[in-house]
Amino acid sequence: MMKKIFAVAIVVMASVYGVSAQKSVTAKADKAYAAGKYYEAIDEYKYAFAKAKNKDVKNAITFRVAECYHMAHDNRQTIVWCRKAIKKGETDARAYLWLGDALCQTGEYTQAIEEYKTYKKLNPSDKHTDDRIEACAQSIEWVNSPTRYTVENMHYINSKYSDYAPAFAKDDYNMIMFTSSRDGVTGGKISGVTGEYFSDIFRSRADRKGKWSEPVALSEPINTEFDEGTPCTNLKCNTLYFTSFREDKNKNLSCRIYVSTKDGAEWGEPKELKLANDTISVGHPAISPDELTLLFVADMPGGQGGKDIWQVTRPNKNADWGKPENLGPEINTDGDEMFPYIHPDGALYFSSNGHPGMGGLDIFCATKLGDKWKIENLKYPINSCADDFGIIFQQDMERGFFTSNRAGGKGGDDIYLFALPPIEFALKGVVKNKKTEEIIAGADVTLIGSDGTNVAQKTETDGTFTYKLNPNTDYRIVVKRGGFLNSKDKVSTKGLTSSTELPVEINLAPDDSRMDLPGIVYEFGKWNLLPSSMVSLEALVEILNDNSNITIEIGSHTDFRGSDQANLELSKKRAKSVVDFLITYGIDEERLSSRGYGETMPKEVDRAIARIYPFLKEGDVLTEQFINNLKDNEQREICHQINRRTDFGLTGRDYVPKVKRRK
């Protein structure tokens, strides 16, 4: 449950309502409720419930307990008591609203939607119900597609009590201050509002290994026997603003913002900032990098409803603060906007339960576009179904701290570390023998990028190679190895928005063996190339361009059906048609020769063919006798098809490319 000293301070003016018949048994509970002491009120209402005799009174008390848990942000108990009230026949539509809110804030979005729909039927005039339903649906999507931020609980400094609202205490970012109601606070007294100790401001330092020290409370005059918290500092961390309850001249406690400056190693006597009249509570200070603007939170006339973010400005650091100004309806809503933070780049971060979110308080970023604000939800995992608030950044880095009371923490509110890891791209490849599929060690791999990258390495003993890639870049991968034809591939990081490992397998053809050209197709009984052959033929053009010193022979083969002479003539014409095609693509005619083999070179089964057709094994030669011995007609047809192929083999490695002159 979130314990926010300022949030609870300004709800003490909550109105009291109830059934007149129950006043005598609930008077003490009603008084605690009116003072915003919800945990004290819960105990008193439960005591009153045991004493009450009237059924209507008992039902009214049940509803009031549910309301107290709702106001205290205890979602689990809100769910329990709202369901009790509904089961007892509660007709107040707010029971369904609070139940929906609590379910939303525990991540039970689907069930929350159903309760909101019931609430909408009972109270169709509430214009925000559809927004709540839409927010639940949106939250489901955000959880399923999280942002790249990483979030880590700060176990070293969190306690079983509330720890929240961090601020940097040194400009090297190795010390933080935060609010806590843990053991060891100055007053040592329990607050009837929060049910925990009155809070103090604590500090902790990180050592060189990044381990945080045991938090210790700031000494007086910062901490008192009452609540202190929500600190913020200037960039030099030598001026401290914080929220505190202090006694006024009439001995009444009031919630105010104080400022203290460093006096050597300690903080000087804090001075109250006069930002509003004495009847209005103010808190949650945030100072701008130039220290000329101070944001704070208050519920005072001129706002948008609920708790709003206000600002005061001054012309220089020695001047008095001006008149408070509301940040307006783009930032503030009829809900609560709290915990502002001004980033060094000028962006405003704040928490709100009025803007569409994931449940409870969500953290938002607001940036100025002209005279308008652009407001963005930070989404999951920084935001969650619980309360998320009090974010700070380590200068201009995407790293810092925030507070959340999400499940899995050590106590109520916990402090979390967040960071945005860099997007990293990696190329992981392997080079293999195209014929045998064996790995090739020691191959030369050159990576050429559109950004000017040109680096080379050799494949490892397992045939692999790795490269780190730059974003938004196209790459060519060129691979060479003695005894093999050169080959290449390409990858790109353009359009990639998350860390990615790009796998690639490059197969090198041995230069002492014939290689099939899969996909070369002719019209039946003819030598005209069909359009489907283009992919394989264009790949052969690339091989010839990548290996500009080789000459090749194109071979064409037929199956055993038909006469030997007819098959020989057909294969010659088919091989010649491939050569003609290559010439049209700009390959020098001197590099090309063709030969028709007819049915004289039956195919020897390699590993790839055996993997596709299990009835064949590596090394089988698909002779006419072998095929005729197969009993299955389909298997025989497959073998005939394998024999009908076009391939190529090297005839030389010392061709000198012609110098092409411009006409």
Side-chain angles (χ1 to χ4, degrees):
M1 180 188 311
M2 183 171 66
K3 310 297 194 300
K4 303 178 290 288
I5 63 172
F6 176 68
V8 295
I10 59 178
V11 297
V12 296
M13 300 181 69
S15 62
V16 184
Y17 68 92
V19 180
S20 58
Q22 73 183 71
K23 285 185 178 179
S24 59
V25 293
T26 64
K28 195 172 181 180
D30 292 339
K31 184 177 180 181
Y33 172 87
K37 298 179 180 180
Y38 298 116
Y39 285 97
E40 183 179 320
I42 288 167
D43 290 339
E44 294 296 339
Y45 280 126
K46 289 180 179 179
Y47 179 73
F49 183 90
K51 294 176 61 178
K53 305 296 183 182
N54 184 282
K55 180 181 177 181
D56 291 338
V57 172
K58 283 181 174 289
N59 291 348
I61 292 173
T62 300
F63 179 78
R64 182 55 67 86
V65 172
E67 182 179 15
C68 286
Y69 278 122
H70 166 71
M71 296 297 290
H73 303 280
D74 189 331
N75 294 311
R76 293 298 178 189
Q77 289 300 318
T78 300
I79 293 171
V80 171
W81 285 86
C82 281
R83 283 175 171 163
K84 283 184 179 181
I86 291 170
K87 187 176 181 180
K88 290 179 179 292
E90 180 58 56
T91 58
D92 193 318
R94 289 177 299 170
Y96 294 94
L97 174 63
W98 298 338
L99 178 55
D101 288 345
L103 288 166
C104 177
Q105 292 172 47
T106 53
E108 300 172 70
Y109 294 116
T110 302
Q111 184 59 42
I113 290 173
E114 296 305 313
E115 301 302 337
Y116 284 142
K117 288 179 178 178
T118 302
Y119 170 71
K120 183 179 180 180
K121 291 178 182 178
L122 297 173
N123 187 15
S125 63
D126 190 333
K127 61 183 180 180
H128 295 305
T129 310
D130 288 337
D131 293 337
R132 294 184 179 97
I133 293 172
E134 183 179 349
C136 285
Q138 181 69 78
S139 297
I140 294 173
E141 293 182 19
W142 288 346
V143 171
N144 292 333
S145 301
T147 67
R148 294 193 302 109
Y149 282 102
T150 60
V151 171
E152 176 185 352
N153 187 288
M154 295 291 290
H155 293 285
Y156 288 118
I157 63 175
N158 289 319
S159 68
K160 64 180 180 180
Y161 300 100
S162 292
D163 306 287
Y164 59 96
F168 289 112
K170 286 186 70 68
D171 56 9
D172 62 2
Y173 307 106
N174 287 326
M175 181 185 290
I176 62 171
M177 291 184 288
F178 60 95
T179 313
S180 182
S181 56
R182 67 183 63 206
D183 293 331
V185 296
T186 303
K189 297 179 180 179
I190 300 293
S191 167
V193 175
T194 65
E196 295 183 357
Y197 291 116
F198 285 104
S199 62
D200 274 355
I201 298 175
F202 284 72
R203 67 185 174 194
S204 176
R205 177 188 289 275
D207 62 21
R208 293 180 180 179
K209 296 182 179 180
K211 184 176 180 180
W212 291 85
S213 64
E214 182 69 25
V216 295
L218 300 188
S219 58
E220 294 185 19
I222 301 299
N223 287 322
T224 69
E225 61 180 310
F226 300 110
D227 277 316
E228 280 79 34
T230 59
C232 83
T233 57
N234 61 349
L235 289 179
K236 293 182 178 180
C237 296
N238 58 10
T239 303
L240 170 66
Y241 299 82
F242 64 100
T243 310
S244 178
F245 280 89
R246 301 286 170 103
E247 287 186 344
D248 60 20
K249 60 184 178 181
N250 297 319
K251 301 297 182 180
N252 295 319
L253 286 176
S254 59
C255 189
R256 295 287 181 267
I257 292 175
Y258 289 78
V259 59
S260 174
T261 56
K262 270 285 180 68
D263 184 7
E266 299 299 327
W267 293 102
E269 184 70 32
K271 298 178 181 179
E272 179 186 344
L273 296 182
K274 299 292 185 179
L275 301 174
N277 65 49
D278 292 342
T279 62
I280 297 174
S281 292
V282 295
H284 297 185
I287 191 70
S288 63
D290 62 9
E291 300 182 53
L292 301 182
T293 300
L294 179 73
L295 302 182
F296 64 94
V297 176
D299 182 5
M300 59 183 180
Q304 308 303 318
K307 305 168 189 65
D308 279 5
I309 300 174
W310 299 73
Q311 72 172 10
V312 288
T313 60
R314 58 186 179 183
N316 60 71
K317 296 180 184 179
N318 297 318
D320 293 331
W321 293 105
K323 184 180 178 181
E325 299 176 70
N326 190 279
L327 289 193
E330 290 181 285
I331 299 295
N332 294 313
T333 68
D334 55 4
D336 294 330
E337 282 68 46
M338 300 185 288
F339 298 97
Y341 168 78
I342 305 175
H343 193 281
D345 67 6
L348 167 63
Y349 289 80
F350 65 96
S351 290
S352 171
N353 59 17
H355 292 280
M358 297 185 68
L361 291 171
D362 270 20
I363 301 174
F364 294 83
C365 174
T367 52
K368 271 281 189 179
L369 296 176
D371 59 350
K372 299 289 185 180
W373 288 99
K374 177 185 177 183
I375 300 174
E376 296 179 280
N377 188 300
L378 294 195
K379 303 179 182 179
Y380 184 82
I382 287 184
N383 286 322
S384 68
C385 60
D387 287 316
D388 305 288
F389 58 98
I391 195 168
I392 59 172
F393 285 80
Q394 188 172 316
Q395 191 66 355
D396 56 355
M397 297 178 64
E398 288 291 329
R399 175 185 173 89
F401 301 94
F402 71 98
T403 310
S404 179
N405 63 353
R406 64 188 62 190
K410 289 187 68 175
D413 299 322
D414 275 2
I415 295 173
Y416 287 79
L417 169 69
F418 73 91
L420 185 65
I423 298 177
E424 296 181 341
F425 305 114
L427 172 65
K428 186 163 186 178
V430 62
V431 179
K432 292 183 178 181
N433 185 315
K434 187 174 184 179
K435 187 174 182 64
T436 66
E437 299 185 354
E438 296 174 344
I439 60 97
I440 300 176
D444 295 309
V445 182
T446 303
L447 185 72
I448 304 169
S450 59
D451 61 351
T453 298
N454 193 319
V455 290
Q457 64 172 272
K458 290 184 180 294
T459 55
E460 302 293 337
T461 55
D462 60 355
T464 62
F465 62 91
T466 58
Y467 285 103
K468 287 186 177 180
L469 304 179
N470 296 323
N472 200 37
T473 305
D474 295 321
Y475 291 94
R476 284 190 300 132
I477 311 154
V478 180
V479 182
K480 300 178 181 180
R481 182 69 163 92
F484 295 87
L485 297 179
N486 301 339
S487 188
K488 67 181 181 183
D489 207 333
K490 57 186 178 181
V491 295
S492 179
T493 58
K494 288 182 176 178
L496 299 181
T497 57
S498 59
S499 295
T500 308
E501 182 178 272
L502 301 173
V504 64
E505 180 178 309
I506 298 179
N507 297 292
L508 300 186
D511 62 11
D512 61 351
S513 62
R514 302 191 70 87
M515 300 301 301
D516 287 346
L517 293 170
I520 301 295
V521 182
Y522 308 90
E523 292 185 31
F524 179 74
K526 296 183 180 180
W527 49 91
N528 304 92
L529 288 164
L530 293 178
S532 57
S533 305
M534 293 303 106
V535 173
S536 186
L537 291 170
E538 289 173 354
L540 179 55
V541 171
E542 283 199 34
I543 292 174
L544 290 165
N545 288 334
D546 293 340
N547 299 268
S548 58
N549 64 321
I550 67 170
T551 57
I552 65 170
E553 176 199 88
I554 300 295
S556 180
H557 308 266
T558 65
D559 57 32
F560 293 101
R561 293 175 292 194
S563 70
D564 294 351
Q565 187 59 36
N567 284 336
L568 185 62
E569 290 300 320
L570 180 61
S571 63
K572 286 179 180 180
K573 292 177 181 178
R574 286 181 170 178
K576 181 64 167 58
S577 67
V578 173
V579 169
D580 292 340
F581 173 88
L582 296 175
I583 292 172
T584 64
Y585 259 65
I587 304 300
D588 291 341
E589 186 175 358
E590 291 87 345
R591 301 178 65 189
L592 307 171
S593 61
S594 64
R595 183 176 177 181
Y597 288 90
E599 57 190 64
T600 63
M601 289 182 62
K603 178 68 176 177
E604 180 178 342
V605 175
D606 57 25
R607 187 178 301 177
I609 294 175
R611 186 166 53 246
I612 298 172
Y613 304 110
F615 71 92
L616 298 174
K617 64 178 182 295
E618 189 176 357
D620 286 344
V621 180
L622 305 184
T623 63
E624 186 172 12
Q625 181 181 358
F626 178 91
I627 296 173
N628 290 336
N629 286 337
L630 295 172
K631 296 181 180 180
D632 189 291
N633 287 333
E634 184 178 352
Q635 291 178 354
R636 288 197 295 270
E637 185 55 43
I638 289 171
C639 291
H640 285 307
Q641 181 183 346
I642 294 172
N643 273 333
R644 296 192 299 270
R645 67 195 188 279
T646 299
D647 60 14
F648 74 93
L650 264 65
T651 57
R653 303 181 182 85
D654 53 3
Y655 177 78
V656 178
K658 293 181 179 179
V659 177
K660 296 183 179 179
R661 301 181 183 276
R662 292 184 179 180
K663 295 182 179 180

